[in-house]
């Protein structure tokens, strides 16, 4: 391995660790500030759910890989096995970029959230393609783009943060807290 490839690999390794740390810190801060109340669904929990950062209980998980022992095995775009209006909060970290139809995913989140429920999302922006054979990498969202998708699904963005060392115009991650619009739950 050439020195430049090794240096890039080392840089990439530490950048991923830093992003993971930021995500966990953000979820913990949301939990500590009372934005995540139980019951909670970790949608797209993967190999390491956000359960350690969330104090609210009960805590359930959804993932398409049954090897991770999720509460529900399924796709965030079609959560048929998850009852409607069951959760006060949904945590969805680094998932929407892997979803072919994010509009379906957010509509499903709106369906399973209770009125005024909270959706906590983290998404990468300035981050390399991280596709695997079983997990496509479809999108990167700008702050305006994710706000538009959330509004279309019936959510109101409470706050949005960008994180990264490259400055506000090229963030590594975008963190969002959105609340399900009560009127949307009445008409859907």
């Amino acid at each position: 391995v050439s020195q430049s490839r090794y240096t890039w690999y080392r840089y990439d390794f530490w950048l991923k660790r830093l992003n993971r740390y930021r995500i966990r810190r953000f979820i913990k801060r949301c939990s500590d500030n009372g934005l995540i109340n139980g019951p909670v669904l970790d949608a797209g929990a993967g190999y390491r759910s956000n359960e350690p950062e969330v104090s609210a209980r009960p805590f359930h998980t959804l993932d398409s890989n049954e090897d991770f022992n999720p509460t529900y095995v399924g796709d965030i775009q079609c959560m048929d096995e998850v009852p409607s209006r069951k959760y006060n909060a949904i945590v969805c970290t680094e998932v929407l970029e892997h979803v072919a139809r994010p509009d379906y995913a957010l509509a499903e989140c709106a369906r399973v959230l209770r009125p005024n429920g909270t959706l906590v999302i983290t998404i990468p922006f300035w981050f390399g393609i991280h596709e695997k054979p079983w997990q496509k990498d479809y999108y990167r969202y700008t702050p305006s783009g994710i706000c538009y998708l959330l509004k279309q699904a019936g959510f109101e963005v409470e706050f949005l943060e960008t994180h990264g060392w490259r400055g506000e115009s090229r963030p590594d991650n975008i963190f969002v807290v959105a609340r399900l619009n009560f009127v949307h739950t009445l008409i859907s």
Side-chain angles (χ1 to χ4, degrees):
V1 177
S2 72
Q3 182 63 34
S4 63
R5 280 185 100 178
Y6 175 74
T7 302
W8 175 251
Y9 173 79
R10 200 172 57 200
Y11 162 79
D12 194 46
F13 171 80
W14 287 109
L15 182 60
K16 287 177 184 176
R17 288 184 66 111
L18 176 61
N19 284 338
R20 239 320 113 201
Y21 170 77
R22 284 187 192 128
I23 292 163
R24 290 179 182 146
R25 192 177 67 192
F26 174 72
I27 300 300
K28 176 104 173 81
R29 189 167 35 114
C30 288
S31 179
D32 291 348
N33 289 334
L35 296 171
I36 301 174
N37 298 304
V40 179
L41 177 65
D42 189 345
Y47 65 90
R48 195 250 186 230
S49 79
N50 293 291
E51 189 171 13
E53 289 76 36
V54 176
S55 57
R57 296 292 180 262
F59 188 93
H60 299 146
T61 57
L62 169 91
D63 201 89
S64 58
N65 188 337
E66 62 187 25
D67 292 340
F68 299 139
N69 296 320
T71 310
Y72 304 103
V73 176
D75 187 329
I76 191 172
Q77 299 167 102
C78 183
M79 297 189 279
D80 290 340
E81 62 283 345
V82 182
S84 296
R85 308 283 177 250
K86 180 172 175 74
Y87 292 97
N88 283 326
I90 295 176
V91 177
C92 183
T93 58
E94 311 298 285
V95 172
L96 288 182
E97 74 273 18
H98 299 291
V99 175
R101 293 296 307 260
D103 52 335
Y104 288 10
L106 293 174
E108 280 291 271
C109 288
R111 181 185 65 78
V112 303
L113 274 175
R114 293 177 179 165
N116 292 318
T118 303
L119 177 61
V120 178
I121 297 175
T122 71
I123 49 177
F125 179 72
W126 196 266
F127 201 79
I129 296 170
H130 52 286
E131 188 167 292
K132 299 171 183 81
W134 64 90
Q135 184 184 55
K136 301 292 184 198
D137 190 0
Y138 293 102
Y139 303 107
R140 295 296 179 270
Y141 302 94
T142 63
S144 296
I146 193 64
C147 288
Y148 174 80
L149 288 172
L150 287 164
K151 184 176 182 185
Q152 293 301 306
F155 289 94
E156 293 177 16
V157 174
E158 291 202 341
F159 66 88
L160 180 145
E161 298 176 0
T162 58
H163 289 272
W165 59 274
R166 296 177 189 95
E168 193 172 303
S169 66
R170 295 189 311 179
D172 295 325
N173 301 87
I174 299 171
F175 300 160
V176 184
V177 174
R179 191 150 321 263
L180 185 60
N181 186 322
F182 181 73
V183 173
H184 178 80
T185 60
L186 293 175
I187 60 174
S188 60

